[in-house]
Amino acid sequence: MSLPHAILTALLEKPSSGLELTRRFDKSIGYFWSATHQQIYRELGKLEQAGHIRALPAQVPARGQKKEYEVLPAGRAELSEWVARSEDPKPMRAALLLRMRAAAVVGAPGMRAELERHLVLHQRQLEEYRAIEVRDFPPARRESEPDRLRHLVLRGGIDLERFWVEWLTQALGELER
């Protein structure tokens, strides 16, 4: 149920077309809640049918013109209710951890290379998050509650990547023994 709420959040931040939403997901929300172009368009249709969003009137009617959407009061109310709702954490699903468990049973050929590859990927993501933090969240830009909340989301991503870098480094050390 979170994709429609992610879309409502993004549209409340800035009315957008489906294509713009896809691009914004790739640069922000997608770091922690990814969605394909098709999924976003499908959800836009559902949200519009539910009366949560509407397509803004086109400035100049033209065939094939992209629709830009905005959130309606019912959509804001739905998002507010969802934010206030209690939700238990979801169990973690990590294919790499499952593969390591399987490697304990059938052997670990190639596991070292895969751990090294994951380590590089997590190091890159950590660097990207840190660059975003420097660029978008200097201390002076953390004054308002919305900016502090956005920064906390980014800090969560930074901390998760730091965890993976540390854990993968330890795992590679254990494989050395």
Side-chain angles (χ1 to χ4, degrees), residues 116-126 161 165:
E116 289 170 346
R117 188 177 77 79
H118 276 255
L119 178 58
V120 168
L121 293 172
H122 285 287
Q123 287 169 329
R124 283 184 193 149
Q125 190 64 63
L126 178 57
E161 293 305 326
V165 166

Side-chain angles (χ1 to χ4, degrees), residues 16-79:
S16 304
S17 69
L19 180 59
E20 290 167 332
L21 279 174
T22 301
R23 289 180 180 146
R24 288 175 55 211
F25 263 67
D26 289 345
K27 294 179 183 173
S28 62
I29 291 175
Y31 286 124
F32 55 90
W33 197 270
S34 63
T36 66
H37 189 76
Q38 293 84 3
Q39 289 171 315
I40 289 172
Y41 273 96
R42 191 170 35 248
E43 287 301 325
L44 284 169
K46 290 177 184 176
L47 287 166
E48 192 170 24
Q49 274 190 322
H52 292 157
I53 65 170
R54 73 174 180 126
L56 292 169
Q59 308 255 334
V60 180
R63 188 175 172 190
Q65 184 175 358
K66 64 183 178 181
K67 290 183 189 178
E68 193 167 270
Y69 295 91
E70 71 174 353
V71 177
L72 296 171
R76 181 180 282 277
E78 167 58 31
L79 188 59

Side-chain angles (χ1 to χ4, degrees), residues 129-155:
Y129 284 165
R130 285 181 172 154
I132 291 169
E133 183 177 39
V134 168
R135 182 190 71 220
D136 294 346
F137 294 101
R141 189 128 179 257
R142 298 182 210 158
E143 296 300 317
S144 70
E145 183 177 18
D147 283 337
R148 286 193 305 273
L149 291 172
R150 287 183 192 103
H151 182 245
L152 282 169
V153 171
L154 178 61
R155 287 299 315 171

